[in-house]
């Protein structure tokens, strides 16, 4: 464990000259010096290492022992890293932060081992809080034998307690009969546009809702109080800091995360940084907010909007050019019709907003690339940084478009080792080429950023690094990696979790690397990911997370 120590015994210079120090650092002196470490400065492939870092206020002031020693004063607090590895703190490109934070307080369904265990866990939750809505943790039918759950699995153990629990992808939800009644969903309820109510052979709802149909139950679930929402988000912040995350991007479907972190920021309670995207149909509301209040600060920022081109692979609602292999009648569901999505992106871009769109299937990705291209042609070139969230299944012929059209691929590596267990059943082997194409996208020159999609996947960047580097599916069936040609290096993964995400959030001038003048967001790890066995990457402990020069988490 790293400790306080005297700077006088710190290791010798790393080549950073005193004259390179900012004038303000020399005048003010250092508040904090972290010495005797292996420090990866980040920012790009081939970034240099150093051994000490000095912090003044919330900024990095000095790198290297000689520079740190020159800027230190008797008041400088010195921490001996004891050889620990330091790097820029992780940024997560895609979280549903409020939902993930709330699930920390909910029953764990993902750990259920079979149908009986699944029902038992929900029954215990219902008995613990009878009558109170049970809203998740999430579930995965692939871990329960492969069949989709239904209300019949759980009605007997939750007779009077409404249950509305999401699948891991958040595009499918399971309701029990009590929740169906409260939502007014019957055999006569039509499928909403862009959604599906699954029905049995007799035409009765099974309890499974997909995509836009989920809004039917969301409309009747009681909202949390402001105090409850803030407490939920505080738990999520602590969870993220524990995993070395200093900032999350929030491409959301509602305003709960945005409003809650703004309320916490007003009292100076955030500890973690946030970049908020609102639903694209609310682009005018976001544009009005930007006009009235700007785009926030480096703790809570906004000015982005998110659209949805399709659903998910697991729910068979991702939109493909060709039908699903295991359901030839289905090609997916457009959550927002293509023409409407084009109009919304056009309007949001004209308002100067940062636009990202969720796209999973190969046709959905092509549609969004086409829309982005047409908007650029209509409005002219500027630094807009269009993003596609997930960019999950791309035609090989479309990979090069990301770099050529300056579209950021905002991907989540854990999905590759999770979906890799069963994706071939959905779309067949031929369409796997271009699936989670991390290496191909990077090699083409595209900006590729990494994240989690929490709570769809764990909010754990080191697990994401492991997934991107090994591509070993979680069932152990692919020890050499699933689609191994798409593996990336440890350094590529770390850049994608740091500097690339800073760029994707218009913060590359102050975040994503360790350099004088940059915000002092860094993480201390218990092992060096560059030299560790790749199999142990996901087990590297986080010793401390610094955000704005302060230790917000220490093991």
């Amino acid at each position: 464990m790293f400790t306080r120590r005297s700077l006088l015994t710190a290791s010798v210079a790393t080549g950073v000259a005193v004259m390179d120090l900012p004038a303000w650092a020399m005048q003010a002196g250092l508040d904090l010096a972290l010495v005797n470490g292996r420090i990866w400065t980040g920012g790009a492939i081939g970034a240099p290492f150093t051994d000490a870092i000095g912090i003044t206020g919330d900024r990095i002031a000095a790198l290297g022992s000689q520079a740190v020693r020159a800027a230190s004063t008797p008041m400088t607090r010195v921490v001996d890293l004891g050889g620990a590895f330091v790097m820029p703190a992780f940024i997560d490109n895609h979280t549903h932060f409020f939902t993930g934070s709330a699930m920390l307080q909910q029953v764990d369904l993902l750990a259920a081992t079979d149908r009986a265990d699944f029902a038992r866990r929900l029954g215990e939750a219902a008995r613990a809080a009878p009558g109170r809505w049970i809203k998740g943790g999430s579930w995965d039918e692939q871990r329960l034998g492969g069949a989709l759950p239904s209300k019949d699995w759980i009605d007997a153990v939750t007779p009077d307690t409404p249950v509305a629990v999401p699948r891991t992808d958040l595009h499918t939800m399971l309701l029990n009969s009590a929740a169906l009644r409260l939502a007014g969903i019957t055999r006569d309820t039509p499928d909403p546009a862009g959604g599906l109510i699954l029905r049995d052979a007799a035409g009765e709802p099974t309890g499974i809702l997909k995509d836009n149909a989920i809004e039917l139950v969301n409309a009747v679930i009681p909202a949390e109080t402001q105090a409850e929402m803030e407490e939920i988000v505080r738990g999520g912040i602590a969870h993220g800091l524990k995993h070395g995350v200093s900032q999350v991007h929030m491409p959301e479907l509602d305003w709960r995360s945005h409003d809650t972190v703004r309320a916490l920021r007003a009292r100076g309670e955030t500890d973690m940084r946030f970049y908020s995207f609102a639903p694209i149909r609310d682009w005018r509301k976001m544009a009005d907010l930007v006009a009235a209040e700007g785009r926030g600060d480096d703790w809570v920022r906004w000015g982005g909007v998110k659209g949805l081109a399709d659903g998910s692979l697991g729910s068979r609602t991702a939109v493909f050019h060709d039908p699903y292999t295991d359901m030839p009648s289905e090609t997916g569901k457009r959550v927002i019709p293509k023409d409407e999505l084009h109009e919304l992106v056009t309007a949001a871009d004209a308002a100067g907003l940062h636009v990202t769109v969720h796209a999973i299937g190969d046709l959905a990705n092509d549609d969004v690339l086409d829309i982005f291209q047409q908007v650029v042609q209509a409005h002219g070139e500027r630094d807009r940084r269009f993003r596609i969230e997930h960019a999950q299944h791309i035609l090989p012929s479309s990979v090069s478009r990301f770099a050529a059209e300056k579209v950021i691929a905002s991907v989540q590596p854990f999905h590759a080792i999770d979906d890799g267990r069963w994706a071939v059943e959905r779309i067949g082997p031929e369409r796997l080429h271009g699936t989670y194409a991390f290496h191909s996208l990077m090699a083409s020159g595209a900006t590729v950023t990494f994240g989690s999609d929490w709570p769809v996947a764990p909010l754990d960047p080191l697990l994401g690094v492991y997934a991107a580097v090994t591509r070993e599916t979680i069932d152990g069936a692919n020890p050499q990696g699933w689609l191994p040609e798409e593996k990336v290096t440890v350094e590529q993964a770390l850049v994608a979790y740091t500097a690339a995400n800073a760029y994707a959030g218009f913060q590359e001038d102050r975040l994503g690397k360790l350099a004088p003048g940059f915000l002092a967001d860094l993480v201390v790890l218990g092992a060096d990911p560059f030299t560790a066995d790749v199999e142990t990457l996901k087990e590297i402990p986080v010793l401390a997370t610094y955000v704005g020069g302060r230790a917000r988490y220490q093991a």
Side-chain angles (χ1 to χ4, degrees):
M1 184 60 185
F2 52 92
T3 59
R4 289 189 179 188
R5 56 166 286 174
S6 168
L7 185 62
L8 296 178
T9 59
S11 52
V12 183
T14 57
V16 178
V18 176
M19 67 183 65
D20 294 331
L21 283 169
W24 54 265
M26 292 299 293
Q27 293 169 1
L30 300 180
D31 296 317
L32 175 66
L34 305 177
V35 302
N36 189 27
R38 175 166 162 79
I39 301 171
W40 179 63
T41 55
I45 301 298
F49 287 79
T50 187
D51 63 353
I53 184 168
I55 297 169
T56 299
D58 65 351
R59 300 275 171 168
I60 296 168
L63 291 176
S65 297
Q66 181 180 355
V68 168
R69 186 181 297 112
S72 294
T73 74
M75 300 301 294
T76 300
R77 184 168 67 90
V78 180
V79 174
D80 187 338
L81 294 166
F85 182 87
V86 178
M87 59 172 282
F90 296 110
I91 302 171
D92 191 307
N93 68 14
H94 188 117
T95 66
H96 304 279
F97 199 79
F98 183 86
T99 301
S101 300
M103 283 189 183
L104 295 174
Q105 304 177 1
Q106 292 281 343
V107 57
D108 182 4
L109 298 176
L110 203 57
T113 55
D114 54 31
R115 173 175 170 173
D117 187 25
F118 182 81
R120 178 188 62 78
R121 290 167 184 257
L122 286 169
E124 289 178 355
R127 288 191 296 275
R132 184 174 180 178
W133 280 83
I134 298 174
K135 297 181 288 186
S138 57
W139 49 269
D140 178 2
E141 78 280 2
Q142 302 298 329
R143 307 185 193 200
L144 302 172
L148 279 174
S150 74
K151 63 184 181 184
D152 297 336
W153 288 24
I154 59 176
D155 275 351
V157 295
T158 59
D160 303 310
T161 298
V163 174
V165 290
R167 188 181 184 278
T168 55
D169 59 10
L170 304 184
H171 288 265
T172 296
M173 185 169 282
L174 170 66
L175 277 61
N176 66 351
S177 290
L180 288 168
R181 285 194 300 271
L182 290 170
I185 299 172
T186 69
R187 62 181 296 125
D188 299 320
T189 304
D191 291 339
L196 181 67
I197 302 169
L198 216 61
R199 305 169 199 269
D200 61 22
E204 294 294 334
T206 66
I208 291 290
L209 308 181
K210 295 188 178 185
D211 286 299
N212 288 349
I214 294 171
E215 294 308 310
L216 299 175
V217 67
N218 283 343
V220 300
I221 296 176
E224 295 86 356
T225 66
Q226 183 64 32
E228 288 171 337
M229 290 193 294
E230 291 178 11
E231 186 60 27
I232 285 169
V233 168
R234 287 190 192 98
I237 290 171
H239 181 72
L241 292 171
K242 181 179 179 180
H243 290 286
V245 179
S246 63
Q247 181 179 148
V248 296
H249 295 183
M250 304 187 303
E252 297 283 19
L253 301 178
D254 58 42
W255 290 77
R256 289 182 303 174
S257 294
H258 174 90
D259 292 340
T260 306
V261 299
R262 282 202 69 186
L264 291 175
R265 175 61 185 138
R267 295 196 298 274
E269 295 183 22
T270 44
D271 281 340
M272 183 187 287
R273 304 185 194 278
F274 297 89
Y275 183 28
S276 175
F277 292 75
I280 197 167
R281 284 182 170 131
D282 292 344
W283 69 266
R284 196 179 302 277
K285 177 179 176 181
M286 178 59 81
D288 289 344
L289 176 61
V290 170
E293 301 184 35
R295 295 176 182 260
D297 59 19
D298 281 322
W299 286 103
V300 177
R301 299 168 54 250
W302 54 84
V305 290
K306 174 200 176 182
L308 289 130
D310 64 348
S312 73
L313 184 69
S315 298
R316 297 187 186 85
T317 52
V319 174
F320 285 91
H321 287 278
D322 298 317
Y324 280 83
T325 301
D326 59 354
M327 188 176 287
S329 62
E330 186 62 74
T331 57
K333 300 287 183 190
R334 296 185 187 277
V335 177
I336 298 177
K338 182 180 177 181
D339 288 347
E340 183 188 359
L341 184 61
H342 188 287
E343 293 173 1
L344 291 168
V345 173
T346 300
D349 183 73
L353 300 177
H354 189 195
V355 178
T356 190
V357 178
H358 160 120
I360 300 286
D362 53 24
L363 177 55
N365 276 278
D366 280 347
D367 286 347
V368 177
L369 288 167
D370 288 345
I371 289 170
F372 286 167
Q373 183 182 56
Q374 291 159 10
V375 170
V376 171
Q377 291 171 349
H379 294 167
E381 292 285 348
R382 65 176 175 86
D383 186 13
R384 48 176 46 87
R385 304 189 195 183
F386 280 148
R387 295 167 46 161
I388 292 183
E389 302 302 313
H390 311 307
Q392 190 165 307
H393 303 278
I394 310 167
L395 293 179
S397 59
S398 298
V399 168
S400 62
R401 294 186 63 184
F402 283 80
E405 298 170 23
K406 301 177 182 177
V407 175
I408 295 168
S410 173
V411 303
Q412 296 75 45
F414 183 84
H415 292 339
I417 66 171
D418 191 359
D419 292 8
R421 296 170 295 145
W422 46 265
V424 68
E425 300 170 10
R426 292 284 191 270
I427 58 176
E430 292 304 317
R431 277 186 285 174
L432 293 181
H433 301 292
T435 291
Y436 299 108
F438 308 148
H439 173 78
S440 294
L441 285 162
M442 289 182 181
S444 75
T447 297
V448 179
T449 74
F450 282 175
S452 64
D453 200 12
W454 188 54
V456 179
L459 184 62
D460 184 350
L462 287 165
L463 178 58
V465 170
Y466 163 84
V469 171
T470 70
R471 294 181 73 100
E472 296 178 15
T473 52
I474 62 176
D475 59 1
N478 295 273
Q480 303 307 311
W482 180 62
L483 306 176
E485 66 275 11
E486 295 297 349
K487 292 180 182 179
V488 302
T489 68
V490 168
E491 188 172 25
Q492 286 174 319
L494 294 179
V495 170
Y497 261 117
T498 54
N501 274 328
Y503 175 82
F506 291 91
Q507 292 177 297
E508 73 276 12
D509 62 340
R510 56 199 184 277
L511 284 174
K513 67 178 181 179
L514 304 180
F518 274 55
L519 289 164
D521 293 4
L522 54 95
V523 60
V524 183
L525 302 180
D528 181 347
F530 284 85
T531 59
D533 186 306
V534 294
E535 298 297 330
T536 68
L537 287 170
K538 61 184 176 181
E539 300 164 6
I540 293 176
V542 172
L543 303 182
T545 305
Y546 289 78
V547 187
R550 281 180 48 196
R552 313 280 172 162
Y553 166 78
Q554 287 185 298

